[in-house]
Amino acid sequence: MAELGDQDDEQKACLIMEAIPVSALLAFAEDFTVLKTQNRLMDYLPELKRFSVSVLGRGVGPALLIETQARTEEEVAAAAANRAAEGTFDQAKTTTALKSFIDRVVVNLEACPYTKSVDISAVGLENRGVTPGPVGYRFSPTTDACMTMSVFWNCICEMTGSPDENLSSIMLSLPGIGKGDSPEAHARFAAVVEIVGRYLCLYR
């Protein structure tokens, strides 16, 4: 979806997913359809309005059909402005700010009792079979909700493919999502975070 959404013109892709139960694909497609009716979220996720998702096939080799409408001139201009803004974010400064927040809130205020420093987490879970390990800091300058989902799932794949002692958790910086301190910026960030959690729950 991130790749399709990056294009201004009309797009269509058919993803054959033989190893994924058709019930899971239907759940995703149905939830996406419901999401598009939820104005409290869609008001802050305008890039998703171009998308439609459906399932093809009900037996062997089911597939997701993902389609996008062409952007309007106004949407093309907005997308170009967002892409230009992505080049203004400094990864080092953003990561330093995130580490400062984690130190103040997560560590010192004990928001997570298993994180004792900005560098190591999962401390105190050994009796549950979890080994303490490094915190990974990842960064994306994207301003797009679909690309945010893509980056998030890349982080999930990285974690699931890494031993605990090499990577215990990931902190993802997304300065382009809800940039600024206005109520609208907060609502935008909250909406993107909600859809991340929403599809993580579907995955589980």
Side-chain angles (χ1 to χ4, degrees):
M1 291 179 74
E3 292 180 7
L4 297 184
D6 198 42
Q7 307 300 315
D8 291 333
D9 54 349
E10 181 180 303
Q11 298 287 322
K12 181 183 294 187
C14 184
L15 305 179
I16 299 173
M17 299 179 170
E18 295 179 327
I20 299 179
V22 67
S23 59
L25 299 180
L26 286 169
F28 172 73
E30 290 169 4
D31 187 77
F32 190 81
T33 300
V34 171
L35 170 65
K36 291 185 66 176
T37 69
Q38 296 176 318
N39 292 334
R40 69 176 183 83
L41 292 173
M42 293 304 294
D43 286 348
Y44 299 100
L45 300 169
E47 62 267 56
L48 298 187
K49 294 177 181 178
R50 301 174 60 211
F51 283 87
S52 63
V53 178
S54 56
V55 177
L56 301 178
R58 292 294 186 269
V60 177
L64 275 181
L65 178 63
I66 304 173
E67 300 175 271
T68 63
Q69 298 175 341
R71 284 191 173 108
T72 64
E73 290 186 5
E74 183 179 352
E75 290 170 339
V76 169
N82 284 336
R83 283 192 290 268
E86 291 174 1
T88 66
F89 301 114
D90 186 291
Q91 181 172 352
K93 289 181 179 179
T94 300
T95 301
T96 297
L98 178 57
K99 286 185 175 182
S100 176
F101 172 81
I102 292 170
D103 184 56
R104 288 184 289 108
V105 177
V106 180
V107 177
N108 292 325
L109 296 181
E110 298 183 341
C112 174
Y114 306 112
T115 301
K116 303 302 182 183
S117 78
V118 297
D119 298 313
I120 301 292
S121 66
V123 177
L125 293 171
E126 294 84 348
N127 62 346
R128 300 185 184 181
V130 180
T131 303
V135 176
Y137 289 88
R138 304 294 181 262
F139 168 88
S140 174
T142 186
T143 55
D144 181 75
C146 288
M147 184 59 72
T148 297
M149 293 294 296
S150 177
V151 172
F152 170 78
W153 283 110
N154 285 341
C155 290
I156 294 296
C157 290
E158 182 184 0
M159 284 192 63
T160 57
S162 302
D164 291 343
E165 60 269 21
N166 292 345
L167 183 65
S168 65
S169 60
I170 286 179
M171 303 297 178
L172 176 58
S173 297
L174 296 164
I177 300 297
K179 53 187 180 293
D181 57 4
S182 67
E184 292 76 15
H186 181 273
R188 162 71 171 174
F189 186 82
V192 172
V193 170
E194 182 168 333
I195 63 169
V196 168
R198 185 171 182 148
Y199 292 117
L200 181 60
C201 288
L202 278 180
Y203 167 76
R204 294 177 62 189

